Amino acid sequence: MDIHTQNQTNTHKQGSVHHVLAQSYFLFFVAVLVGFFMNVFFPIKINAENPPVMYGAILILIGTWIVVWAQKTSRKGAKDRFEKDTLTHHHFFQGPYKYFRSPTHVGLTFLVFGYGLLANSFFIILSTVVFSIISKIVYIKREEKILEEKYGQPYSDYKKKVKM
């Protein structure tokens, strides 16, 4: 079995990048649900007199912008990544990917955290932090392993340049 076939077999065992991403994005939905239900039973407010609505709205806008920017950049660069012979770390170093290896996760964290501020809900914010950490440890790690197997040294070089 050649190295390419072996890498594809390993990738299929772990799932595709899109499958892993879908699971991690679903985790943010779960964070909102957990936070919402905890808030129903234990309504702890962040600030009862002056809810941080403006900060929440700003974070929602920033998070949405990062997610949209990341998705557009990812789609635009997808055809370049099929040319594996000419692939370098610069192919990954575009748009928000210059700053974050997983900008969609960053955007979703901002978005859900902003929703927690907007809802003035301690538990939505707490669940966002907890589920973001779980996503980073479990799903982003798995995603990056698949990408390293798929793209090899260019992706490893990219990871060295972009730490987050």
Side-chain angles (χ1 to χ4, degrees):
M1 178 179 339
D2 68 355
I3 195 95
H4 178 70
T5 307
Q6 185 178 359
N7 283 345
Q8 281 185 329
T9 303
N10 289 342
T11 300
H12 289 298
K13 285 180 190 171
Q14 297 173 351
S16 72
V17 171
H18 296 292
H19 186 259
V20 172
L21 289 174
Q23 290 173 341
S24 66
Y25 298 161
F26 183 73
L27 202 58
F28 286 94
F29 175 68
V30 172
V32 171
L33 288 179
V34 167
F36 176 78
F37 284 113
M38 291 296 292
N39 191 54
V40 168
F41 296 109
F42 309 102
I44 300 173
K45 302 292 180 200
I46 299 165
N47 189 337
E49 278 122 47
N50 194 11
V53 173
M54 181 61 93
Y55 297 116
I58 290 169
L59 282 177
I60 288 172
L61 290 174
I62 291 170
T64 302
W65 178 72
I66 291 171
V67 168
V68 169
W69 187 25
Q71 296 303 310
K72 282 185 175 187
T73 301
S74 181
R75 270 189 235 111
K76 188 173 82 175
K79 57 186 159 221
D80 294 338
R81 291 188 297 272
F82 286 118
E83 303 292 328
K84 292 184 182 169
D85 297 338
T86 59
L87 193 65
T88 68
H89 72 277
H90 295 292
H91 287 95
F92 302 100
F93 201 71
Q94 299 176 16
Y97 293 90
K98 292 179 205 172
Y99 313 105
F100 312 106
R101 289 198 311 247
S102 298
T104 302
H105 285 90
V106 172
L108 286 171
T109 300
F110 280 15
L111 204 143
V112 178
F113 194 90
Y115 173 70
L117 291 175
L118 196 65
N120 198 17
S121 170
F122 170 76
F123 284 110
I124 292 176
I125 290 175
L126 179 65
S127 66
T128 300
V129 171
V130 169
F131 285 85
S132 293
I133 292 168
I134 292 170
S135 181
K136 174 83 171 140
I137 293 169
V138 176
Y139 295 107
I140 293 175
K141 191 175 186 179
R142 197 178 303 162
E143 171 198 4
E144 289 184 340
K145 185 175 182 184
I146 293 169
L147 290 172
E148 276 188 293
E149 287 177 359
K150 185 173 182 177
Y151 297 116
Q153 193 60 44
Y155 189 78
S156 295
D157 293 342
Y158 166 73
K159 278 179 62 176
K160 291 175 189 168
K161 298 229 182 258
V162 179
K163 296 295 182 190
M164 274 180 44

